[in-house]
């Protein structure tokens, strides 16, 4: 996925706060929770997002899911899962009607060696067999299973 999927600017102003730059990874779902919390409103229990200023749960990665434009047809369209950490950015396609292992790794970039993401390493066995890449794929596999579980009647 692209930089704009991960680098979402969020600027809030309150005369009672000093400026602060947050460098940790956070999800866009954290923005509504942060706004509510900073306004003194309790975050609803069903919210998944967290107040970014409380650092309750800081991940060393960020994820994004995308099914393409138009109506998301979960029975026929693959989900594009993206995950990025300090070292890698990868994209994996998988249909929700299939096991994650039946999907396909589409993009893999080593951000240390290729920060502009010009060299897709998806066919490089050296990087694909990397334990850190395997860990990122495992995170996406768990998310895939979580979504599939919600689809059961």
């Amino acid at each position: 996925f692209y930089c704009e999927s991960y680098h979402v600017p969020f600027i809030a102003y309150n005369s009672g706060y000093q400026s602060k730059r947050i460098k940790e990874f956070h999800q866009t779902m954290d923005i509504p929770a942060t706004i509510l919390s900073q306004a003194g409103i309790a975050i609803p229990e069903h919210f998944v997002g967290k107040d970014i200023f409380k650092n309750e749960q800081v991940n060393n990665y960020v994820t994004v899911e995308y099914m393409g434009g138009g109506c998301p047809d979960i029975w026929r369209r693959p989900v594009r899962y993206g995950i990025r950490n300090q070292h890698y950015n990868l994209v994996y396609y998988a249909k929700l009607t299939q096991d994650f292992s039946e999907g396909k790794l589409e993009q893999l970039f080593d951000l240390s060696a290729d920060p502009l993401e010009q060299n897709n390493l998806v066919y490089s066995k050296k990087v694909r067999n990397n334990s850190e890449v395997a860990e990122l794929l495992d995170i996406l596999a768990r998310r895939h299973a979580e979504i599939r579980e919600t689809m059961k009647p």
Side-chain angles (χ1 to χ4, degrees), residues 1-2 6 64 79-84 88-94 100 104-109 117 120 122 137 140:
F1 281 49
Y2 308 106
Y6 298 105
V64 65
V79 177
R80 293 179 179 111
Y81 297 99
I83 189 165
R84 180 186 188 104
Y88 295 102
N89 185 17
L90 66 86
V91 176
Y92 193 91
Y93 290 15
F100 186 80
K104 182 178 180 184
L105 181 61
E106 289 286 327
Q107 296 177 13
L108 175 61
F109 297 99
E117 301 179 28
N120 188 353
V122 73
L137 286 168
L140 295 181

Side-chain angles (χ1 to χ4, degrees), residues 17-84:
Y17 290 103
Q18 271 193 311
S19 64
K20 180 178 183 181
R21 183 175 183 150
I22 309 270
K23 294 182 181 180
E24 296 87 13
F25 288 108
H26 292 279
Q27 305 286 120
T28 54
M29 69 182 91
D30 293 331
I31 295 172
T34 300
I35 292 170
L36 289 175
S37 178
Q38 295 302 306
I41 301 169
I43 300 171
E45 287 185 28
H46 66 276
F47 269 41
V48 178
K50 306 290 183 207
D51 181 346
I52 63 174
F53 296 115
K54 292 187 177 177
N55 290 329
E56 294 170 350
Q57 180 181 354
V58 176
N59 294 321
N60 63 352
Y61 62 87
V62 65
T63 62
V64 65
E65 300 158 12
Y66 182 68
M67 292 188 78
C71 181
D73 183 349
I74 63 173
W75 301 109
R76 292 187 299 200
R77 287 176 144 180
V79 177
R80 293 179 179 111
Y81 297 99
I83 189 165
R84 180 186 188 104

